[in-house]
């Protein structure tokens, strides 16, 4: 397991899993969270948030494809996106937005948050080890 985790295939797989986990989390947020905080007449805010999500997922897909081709830029971009989701979503949610156990969409949102935390952490470790191997090797 350890050897696979630090391989290029492991970096692609863990980053892909992290993106899918964040997609699930995004669906939960769109269904249960944004409707509570954004009034119906503020469509522009939702459009901006949607554009942000599209940019994140588009960049993430590009980084996964680039990593699969062995490009360092893809590793850096994927690691950055995984760190963003890890800190801005998975860690910040229980600390600032909805302390654990979170009552919003219980238990699905709570499970989704923990999955994001674990999978993004694995993806950061995998991408980081690939970057470290490139520098030392």
């Amino acid at each position: 397991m350890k050897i696979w985790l630090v391989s290029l295939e492991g970096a692609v797989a863990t980053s892909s899993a992290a993106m899918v986990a964040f997609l699930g989390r995004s669906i939960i947020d769109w269904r249960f969270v944004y409707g509570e905080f954004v009034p119906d007449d503020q469509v522009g805010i939702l459009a901006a948030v949607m554009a942000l999500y599209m940019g994140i997922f588009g960049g993430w897909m590009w980084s996964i494809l680039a990593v699969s081709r062995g490009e360092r830029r893809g590793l850096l971009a994927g690691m950055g996106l995984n760190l963003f989701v890890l800190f801005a979503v998975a860690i910040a949610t229980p600390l600032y937005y909805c302390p654990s156990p979170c009552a919003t969409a219980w238990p699905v949102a709570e499970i989704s948050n923990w999955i994001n935390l674990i999978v993004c952490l694995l993806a950061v470790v995998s991408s980081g080890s690939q970057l470290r191997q490139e520098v030392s090797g």
Side-chain angles (χ1 to χ4, degrees):
M1 173 73 175
K2 182 182 178 197
I3 293 171
W4 175 82
L5 183 65
V6 298
S7 69
L8 190 62
E9 293 82 18
V12 169
T14 55
S15 190
S16 299
M19 185 182 77
V20 169
F22 183 60
L23 177 62
R25 168 60 189 264
S26 301
I27 292 168
I28 291 169
D29 284 347
W30 279 98
R31 169 63 178 92
F32 295 103
V33 177
Y34 294 136
E36 294 178 17
F37 297 106
V38 179
D40 290 338
D41 61 342
Q42 297 295 318
V43 179
I45 294 172
L46 289 178
V49 172
M50 183 180 67
L52 175 68
Y53 273 87
M54 289 170 61
I56 289 171
F57 283 111
W60 215 329
M61 285 187 262
W62 169 84
S63 76
I64 291 168
L65 290 172
V67 170
S68 69
R69 292 188 304 262
E71 294 181 22
R72 181 177 172 83
R73 294 181 311 158
L75 280 169
L76 290 169
M79 188 166 184
L81 287 163
N82 284 305
L83 283 169
F84 169 75
V85 172
L86 180 65
F87 287 108
V89 177
I91 292 175
T93 295
L95 290 179
Y96 302 109
Y97 309 129
C98 191
S100 191
C102 184
T104 302
W106 172 262
V108 178
E110 185 76 13
I111 293 167
S112 174
N113 195 60
W114 283 101
I115 289 172
N116 269 277
L117 180 75
I118 293 165
V119 176
C120 285
L121 190 58
L122 287 173
V124 167
V125 168
S126 185
S127 298
S129 67
Q130 279 297 302
L131 287 169
R132 192 181 77 225
Q133 286 176 12
E134 285 185 8
V135 170
S136 63

